[in-house]
Amino acid sequence: MSFKLNMITLAMTLAATPAMAANFSVGNANTDAVNFSQYECKRCTQTQGYTGEVSVNAGYNSVDDIHAGNALGTAEDSTISAISGDLHYQNEEGYQAKLQTHLLGMDNGFARFSAGKSGVYSINLDYDSIKTYQAGNIESPFWHNNGMLTVSDTMRVLDLAQQREKIGLGVELKQDLLDSRFIANASFSQEDKTGHKSSSLVAPNPINFGLPVDARTKQLDADINISGDNWLAALAYQGSYYENKITHISLPHLYDVQAATPDNQAHLVSLSGQYQLNHTVMSGRLASGRMIQDEDLITVSDSPLQSWDGQVDTLDGRFAISTMFTHRLRLGASFAYSDRDNHSSTTEFTQYNYNSVTGTFRQNKPQDITRHTYKLSANYRIASGYRLQTGYDRKAVARTFTDREQTHDDSLWMKLNVRAFDKFNVSIKGEHANRSGSEYEASKETSSENNTLLRKYYLADRKRNAVELNINHMPNNWISVDLSTRYANDDYHNTQIGLTEAQDYGYNFNVNLQFSKFLSAYGFGAQQWINSNQAGSQSYGAADWQADVEDQFIHLGAGLNYGGLMQDKLNLGLDYSFSNSISDTYPTGSDTGELYDDYYSYHHSTSAYANYAIDEQMALKLTYRYERYFDTDAATVGVNDIPGMITLGDINHNYNAHQVMLSFTYKLH
Amino acid sequence: MNARSHLVIATLVAFCFWSSHTLATPWQNLTSQQLETKLEQKFSEGQYSSKGADSCLMCHKKSDTVTAIFDGVHGQTNNSKSPMAGLQCEACHGPQGKHNRGGKEPMISFGKNSKLSASAQNSVCQGCHNDPKQMAWHTSTHNLEEIACADCHTVHSANAPALDKLTVNDTCTSCHTKEKADMNKRSSHPMKWNQMTCVDCHAPHGSMNESALMQPTVNDTCNSCHTEKRGPFLWEHAPVTENCVSCHNPHGSVNDNMLEHRVPQLCQQCHAPDGHASRVVPKPGMDAFGGAKSCLNCHSQIHGSNHPSGSLLQR
């Protein structure tokens, strides 16, 4: 008997598979015997009006290094204040509003406001402020004046810190029509990014300097969604517009030595949907995007273009299907396509001859990239509490203007989950992956520059083996322990110059303890090691030097919370964490090489608090935070320590910072 | 009402109070499959209570956790989409059946202490939450790993931790412990102070993109905040164009700037010309090749340059 089974009949077979798993959705409820007129809710304690709390925070920061502002919310070395709160309102008609604020008034804080009628419409207004501190009191003889980088007789001082301030407005409408549900969203946000960041230019000696940042990004999103009982569809648009207010960099003796980051914009339109038939679910998405950058170019001699037409079109598609083939077996498959088509204009541009290898003219090379991703997976319940998953993933990438135009990563993985024991959950996962591809050949564009034995790590043949073990143990109802450990090895087996191998392994554990109704504690720890080896050639031939890089990371922490004191009015808490990041580099091999000077950082963070309820409506909280931070990098040196170049000096950190905060909270009932 | 009736009522009330405060339920000894079968039977029989929520609250009202349902949207009676406007408690917990006669009959329960399978628990939530955020749930890792909605979401609450910017990272890292540790490395996104959240980049309900990202590609995700790096640039740097994670680990790194390796070694993994880039740097801080920004002292426009003469990403 011949039996021909194609993909369509297979899909139909899967789709027609009868229901096998429990479905307790309210739409399936047997309500024949229900008399809703008898339903009452006299005991329901419907919350109407305002609820929530408002906190006024005031305190003192002791900060020597602005880097502490990352952890403490502000780098102010003085008294500080902020407002936090979480307010809710709802009434009998279904109108509701919510306002959440966090440390409003400090450099890092946010506010969220939303209001509307539940299930009908809502508006939201958001504000976010994030300030990231890199280093303070940086000394530099160069100062930036409207694009001109001027040498100063004395050292100028600046802070390397950037602040993002974002406001957003959104509207959501919901409407039922016939048997479908319509949801429409529209939102607009605007983010300003200001401050200074570390940068560098070459003229022809390298100069590190503080580059001002002043940019705005506008984001406009809109989507409309329609859903029925077993299907969903969505049409969405995303638009992003970047505007840089900083001009090109010039030196007094050399104009337009460095181009400013150009304005750009990106647009994306997507259509997506999902359909469910019994226990088979299919979903798909098609997204078409365009990125545009057409800034005027800096005028240089023999430059053929005054402005450049940069345009990249993208097309992303995905189809996925998942089905419960039997009550034990779930099968899944997906296919994804992603294409980056760079339509930007190309021509030859004059190049300055700082590097003798570079020719006088060079043509820009807009790169196209196409990806195909295939995934197959099976999830089989061997027995109650035992589940085996396995899958095969393949990612094929094709790219132009590169040493290897095609690569494909194949991965086979398997995972066993065991939940058969009352007090243990265990899972173990193994993966074997292989990257290969078309012949590795230094293309015409790069062959004149690179050693033919080089295999760039993101294009190179690679074998990866990885294993991961997770254990969750709950010996009783007051203690839980989580342990996970993993090991991965990457072998770049055909590489003689470049990254040749890497191992990444470590473990994590968490312990949570609930000693009593009032006393709880936790502890955690993690360690990770990442070791890698690479080879290079100073003789432009076979490998004649190596570099072993050995990274270590440790993270430890513990804390407790003790409540119920003083007739349930006082709550005490303590949190502590420690982390240490180390990276050691041996330039010519671990046995004979000389270890690089220090590159590590450590961080102690402690927080202790006491929360006292004055009465049912008012509370006082006293919080003390201590931050100890140290980092060092032997590459950072004084401004003029390296002959022929200017640096930003020693930007390593070594500080103690303290914060005391008193918060008064008023609760609304 | 005679004394015997008072005694019976008092006993029932006491039993209800006891049963709502004890951890071990009478159906604790049922296997997961037995429990599911029993609940399916109850569900199909449809023996809902005669008075809705009042029937449940007669016993469960003293539990703050239970009554906290009224602080959130699921407890609203004036919202036609809310379970409390329909079958009330039984919309989610299933028909009462004989549960109120001694509390020995199981109800649908949620969370990590529930023996009910994740798919069975989730079928309750998905009965109403069939919205675009769930578009890719069925093929998501969380679904395949049998994560229940209630493992992350708290329904009986005014403030759901998974929906709060200040607590969502804790929700995610209660399982994703490696990523929790990564936040504390020498460089990372500002996650540990909740200035950024996991859901800024990832869709916990799954997405149509790799690694459940919010945007179609890794670079689209990074560029949604780092718009200045989006380009396109006149002179591109191929691995930057292809994938930001070629060089960066967005979860954190022992190196500055979330780099997988430090410069110059990172650059030398791809650049081996017959020139200065092939030199071994024996010691950091000695010259422009190993001091300060190393390769980036000169090639500072590493993410792309728009200078006509910027092919070497210097200008």
Side-chain angles (χ1 to χ4, degrees), chain B residues 129-304:
Chain B
H129 292 277
N130 180 37
D131 55 63
K133 287 180 182 172
Q134 274 58 251
M135 185 88 77
W137 168 256
H138 294 276
T139 53
S140 71
T141 301
H142 278 170
N143 184 40
L144 296 177
E145 289 295 332
E146 300 189 341
I147 305 299
C149 305
D151 289 342
C152 302
H153 292 284
T154 307
V155 172
H156 286 243
S157 170
N159 293 313
L163 304 180
D164 189 326
K165 182 178 177 179
L166 296 174
T167 48
V168 63
N169 286 348
D170 289 340
T171 303
C172 301
T173 57
S174 64
C175 294
H176 297 278
T177 53
K178 180 179 182 300
E179 285 69 24
K180 176 183 176 179
D182 286 345
M183 294 175 189
N184 292 276
K185 288 178 173 173
R186 178 168 178 146
S187 63
S188 68
H189 281 107
M191 313 281 287
K192 57 184 167 182
W193 306 298
N194 300 314
Q195 293 161 9
M196 273 183 70
T197 66
C198 308
V199 298
D200 290 340
C201 299
H202 296 282
H205 299 126
S207 78
M208 303 281 187
N209 315 311
E210 61 180 311
S211 304
L213 290 171
M214 299 289 282
Q215 300 294 331
T217 66
V218 171
N219 284 24
D220 288 338
T221 305
C222 302
N223 290 335
S224 64
C225 291
H226 301 282
T227 46
E228 76 279 6
K229 296 181 174 64
R230 182 167 51 205
F233 290 95
L234 175 61
W235 302 103
E236 296 179 327
H237 189 191
V240 175
T241 306
E242 181 161 334
N243 199 333
C244 301
V245 301
S246 298
C247 300
H248 297 281
N249 186 334
H251 290 144
S253 168
V254 298
N255 303 307
D256 280 334
N257 301 313
M258 289 178 270
L259 288 172
E260 293 276 13
H261 290 86
R262 272 185 290 157
V263 285
Q265 282 80 24
L266 175 64
C267 305
Q268 290 177 320
Q269 290 172 7
C270 287
H271 296 280
D274 186 11
H276 66 270
S278 287
R279 291 184 201 168
V280 64
V281 174
K283 201 173 179 63
M286 298 299 289
D287 54 24
F289 298 109
K293 295 170 172 291
S294 186
C295 305
L296 277 69
N297 285 322
C298 297
H299 304 279
S300 59
Q301 307 302 90
I302 202 72
H303 294 111

Side-chain angles (χ1 to χ4, degrees), chain A residues 43-54:
Chain A
R43 291 185 170 90
C44 295
T45 52
Q46 288 282 332
T47 306
Q48 306 291 348
Y50 292 93
T51 57
E53 60 184 41
V54 178

Side-chain angles (χ1 to χ4, degrees), chain A residues 149-163:
Chain A
L149 204 59
T150 308
V151 184
S152 175
D153 293 336
T154 57
M155 287 290 182
R156 297 270 179 154
V157 175
L158 71 143
D159 291 341
L160 297 178
Q162 296 180 66
Q163 182 160 26

Side-chain angles (χ1 to χ4, degrees), chain A residues 337-341 368-372 396-400:
Chain A
Y337 172 81
S338 177
D339 184 56
R340 179 189 197 271
D341 193 2
D368 296 337
I369 302 173
T370 305
R371 296 178 174 91
H372 294 83
V397 183
R399 47 183 95 65
T400 58

Side-chain angles (χ1 to χ4, degrees), chain A residues 238-257:
Chain A
Q238 294 179 13
S240 174
Y241 307 82
Y242 169 77
E243 179 188 348
N244 184 18
K245 299 172 186 172
I246 300 297
T247 57
H248 307 307
I249 303 292
S250 293
L251 291 167
H253 62 284
L254 196 61
Y255 270 54
D256 292 335
V257 66

Side-chain angles (χ1 to χ4, degrees), chain A residues 73-182:
Chain A
T74 176
E76 292 288 327
D77 183 30
S78 63
T79 54
I80 53 173
S81 61
I83 293 178
S84 301
D86 198 355
L87 294 171
H88 300 249
Y89 170 82
Q90 62 179 15
N91 66 15
E92 293 180 354
E93 285 77 39
Y95 289 97
Q96 55 189 14
K98 184 178 180 182
L99 174 64
Q100 183 186 20
T101 63
H102 178 65
L103 298 180
L104 216 53
M106 289 169 61
D107 288 332
N108 286 288
F110 67 84
R112 300 264 182 279
F113 173 74
S114 63
K117 189 168 187 179
S118 181
V120 182
Y121 72 88
S122 68
I123 61 168
N124 65 278
L125 190 61
D126 301 331
Y127 168 79
D128 287 271
S129 175
I130 299 176
K131 190 164 186 177
T132 307
Y133 301 91
Q134 187 185 353
N137 296 323
I138 297 302
E139 289 190 329
S140 175
F142 288 89
W143 62 287
H144 182 274
N145 181 17
N146 197 27
M148 183 65 71
L149 204 59
T150 308
V151 184
S152 175
D153 293 336
T154 57
M155 287 290 182
R156 297 270 179 154
V157 175
L158 71 143
D159 291 341
L160 297 178
Q162 296 180 66
Q163 182 160 26
R164 293 172 180 263
E165 279 192 290
K166 186 176 184 178
I167 54 170
L169 174 67
V171 180
E172 182 180 70
L173 302 172
K174 294 180 178 178
Q175 181 68 48
D176 288 339
L177 198 61
L178 301 176
D179 292 331
S180 302
R181 178 90 165 143
F182 287 79

